[in-house]
Amino acid sequence: MTETPQPEQDNVFKDEITKVSDFKFGTTVVKVFDDMVSRSVPFYNEMQRMLGEIAADHVKEGSFVYDLGCSTGTTMIEVDKLIPSDIRFIGIDESTEMLEKCDLKLKEANFVRPYDLVTGDLHEKLPIQNASVVILCLTLQFVRPLYRERLLRNIYEGLNPGGVLLLVEKVLAESTVFNRDFIKYYYNYKRRNHYSEMEISQKREALENVLIPYKLSENLLLLKETGFGDCETFFKWYNFSGLIAYKK
């Protein structure tokens, strides 16, 4: 049996940076992304398993499954385990480096289903069609707020009736009191995963103008306003949440 290669350790913010630049999903981050996200997102593996489980109950024969902001393909690999092998997967990401890494990982995972990897900017209109499942896993938070409603309408229009959007996001607490606590607990989580104070501080600065979270209530309202009917929270950990939105 071929062993799965271990991801390179995330040391992107380990050394002091004189002027921290905005976070980018370029070559440096791509190389360590799998380690970075597994140490930075609580219950990341369980989230992926849940996405596959939920998707399996909503996928329809002859339809497509989209992963927007597919990064290195972890979600596609997990969902693949539970979806019929003739369903086409379409991964979209604006980082060509991410897509190259994704393609390599899919091949290493012996991916046999039909799939397409497409370079696409989520701030622009995307070619979504015949979709029964669309996944936005830790992606919408990186889309500039001005464009989020348009993206969700784009997704809604591309979903078939009965299709679902699965949305996983970092969120703000409804109350500023709890928000401070949740951020503290989150940074404690990162410390337990062996990130130093400098790494935590520098990454926070790099993400400040790039990752803009909404409250859970704001995301739910946005989904309703863009046409989705029933919406439900399927995952919650302090300042992270998972939502499912249904198109009637």
Side-chain angles (χ1 to χ4, degrees):
M1 179 181 293
T2 304
E3 292 188 6
T4 303
Q6 293 301 305
E8 187 175 329
Q9 186 172 7
D10 171 22
N11 291 316
V12 173
F13 296 98
K14 187 173 184 178
D15 298 322
E16 185 173 3
I17 302 170
T18 305
K19 182 175 173 53
V20 178
S21 302
D22 285 350
F23 190 87
K24 290 184 174 60
F25 293 97
T27 304
T28 302
V29 168
V30 170
K31 287 194 297 184
V32 302
F33 182 79
D34 289 341
D35 180 67
M36 175 184 285
V37 74
S38 67
R39 291 167 60 203
S40 300
V41 179
F43 294 97
Y44 183 68
N45 291 336
E46 177 64 6
M47 283 184 194
Q48 301 300 326
R49 190 200 65 75
M50 293 171 81
L51 289 172
E53 186 171 63
I54 297 170
D57 274 345
H58 293 277
V59 72
K60 298 293 189 294
E61 183 178 356
S63 68
F64 302 150
V65 171
Y66 284 80
D67 185 2
L68 308 183
C70 62
S71 63
T72 64
T74 298
T75 302
M76 294 173 72
I77 290 169
E78 289 303 311
V79 175
D80 174 67
K81 298 173 183 177
L82 298 170
I83 301 292
S85 60
D86 59 338
I87 299 293
R88 180 174 291 276
F89 281 11
I90 301 171
I92 300 178
D93 204 290
E94 71 171 323
S95 169
T96 55
E97 295 94 340
M98 280 290 192
L99 291 177
E100 289 169 3
K101 178 69 172 179
C102 179
D103 195 37
L104 178 62
K105 276 180 61 176
L106 296 183
K107 288 180 168 61
E108 289 173 343
N110 298 316
F111 223 65
V112 295
R113 75 172 59 252
Y115 70 91
D116 298 306
L117 298 179
V118 181
T119 304
D121 184 349
L122 271 60
H123 295 91
E124 305 292 337
K125 187 167 178 63
L126 301 174
I128 300 172
Q129 59 181 348
N130 188 31
S132 57
V133 177
V134 175
I135 299 170
L136 279 170
C137 183
L138 302 167
T139 300
L140 188 62
Q141 61 200 29
F142 289 104
V143 175
R144 291 191 291 279
L146 182 64
Y147 293 89
R148 292 184 191 183
E149 181 177 346
R150 187 170 74 178
L151 172 59
L152 291 177
R153 288 192 187 280
N154 188 175
I155 293 169
Y156 183 85
E157 290 168 1
L159 276 166
N160 296 332
V164 295
L165 166 63
L166 303 181
L167 173 66
V168 176
E169 284 282 279
K170 191 175 183 182
V171 295
L172 299 172
E174 301 296 321
S175 163
T176 55
V177 174
F178 295 129
N179 202 56
R180 287 193 295 269
D181 288 343
F182 289 179
I183 290 171
K184 178 180 70 175
Y185 305 151
Y186 176 52
Y187 290 152
N188 285 340
Y189 170 84
K190 297 187 82 166
R191 292 181 186 105
R192 292 196 299 274
N193 281 311
H194 311 294
Y195 280 117
S196 68
E197 298 304 316
M198 181 182 293
E199 286 176 294
I200 293 170
S201 175
Q202 293 189 148
K203 187 175 183 184
R204 179 176 63 237
E205 186 177 348
L207 286 170
E208 188 173 7
N209 298 315
V210 179
L211 192 165
I212 302 174
Y214 279 4
K215 295 176 182 178
L216 179 56
S217 61
E218 291 172 329
N219 279 323
L220 285 167
L221 180 61
L222 191 56
L223 290 167
K224 293 283 189 179
E225 288 178 339
T226 49
F228 288 96
D230 296 318
C231 300
E232 187 60 72
T233 304
F234 67 83
F235 175 88
K236 185 75 168 69
W237 184 96
Y238 296 132
N239 52 349
F240 285 84
S241 69
L243 296 168
I244 178 170
Y246 180 79
K247 178 176 178 177
K248 293 181 180 179

